Amino acid sequence: LRIGIGVFIPEPYVPEEEVRIHLYQRLASLVSEAEIAGLAEEMADRFGPLPEAVQSSLALAAIRVRCRRLNIAKVEAGPLGIAARFRDGGRRVTRARIGRDNPGGPLRWSEGRLIQNTETARPEDRLAAVERLLTAVEDMITDDGPSPG
């Protein structure tokens, strides 16, 4: 997942280094939306309102979980667009919406990647754009055939 934003827990928010390291490990091991919500609630209870950097870190974890569920191996986002590469070549993604208008702009296939040309000036904007792309992919998934393992 390369979108120009990283996982970060500010030292003033969690002053103890050992606790921060443990939280980074937990962030890396989250596998469901329920686990992400649970960690967010726990952090807010223990340390107070979540700073923007922690909210972004949790959003990245949620994107990672969604990518795993959608069989997406890699997402790259830059100032001019987003590219998603599927583990199975996108075999379960219906091509019906390719070239049509989708939230964030039209989608196209190129060199085995689903691409959306969408301009984002800031990494935070890319986070939202990736979330929109994943929503479009969720709407394009077909259940014709076995789910790749």
Side-chain angles (χ1 to χ4, degrees):
L1 186 60
R2 290 190 221 162
I3 63 172
I5 197 166
V7 174
F8 181 63
I9 301 170
E11 184 177 350
Y13 183 64
V14 180
E16 301 85 13
E17 182 178 13
E18 187 175 309
V19 174
R20 266 195 330 278
I21 290 169
H22 178 69
L23 290 170
Y24 281 123
Q25 290 169 335
R26 287 186 60 195
L27 272 168
S29 67
L30 297 170
V31 296
S32 72
E33 284 87 357
E35 287 182 3
I36 294 166
L39 181 59
E41 185 177 328
E42 177 186 331
M43 290 177 76
D45 286 346
R46 286 179 68 185
F47 308 109
L50 302 174
E52 188 173 318
V54 173
Q55 291 176 27
S56 294
S57 297
L58 291 164
L60 285 171
I63 287 172
R64 205 178 60 250
V65 166
R66 289 175 77 187
C67 285
R68 192 174 300 124
R69 186 177 63 242
L70 295 169
N71 209 27
I72 295 174
K74 186 177 189 178
V75 173
E76 295 177 291
L80 299 178
I82 305 165
R85 184 175 302 277
F86 293 79
R87 286 184 183 84
D88 64 353
R91 151 174 84 86
R92 293 181 9 185
V93 177
T94 180
R95 304 308 199 253
R97 287 181 54 183
I98 303 302
R100 290 184 169 170
D101 200 22
N102 289 284
L107 303 170
R108 64 184 170 86
W109 286 97
S110 177
E111 300 176 14
R113 300 177 305 159
L114 182 63
I115 296 176
Q116 186 169 48
N117 294 340
T118 182
E119 292 188 23
T120 54
R122 303 173 312 135
E124 297 79 20
D125 299 333
R126 284 181 213 127
L127 192 64
V130 169
E131 289 170 340
R132 284 191 303 272
L133 175 67
L134 295 179
T135 298
V137 170
E138 287 168 341
D139 292 343
M140 294 166 39
I141 293 290
T142 64
D143 292 322
D144 301 340
S147 176

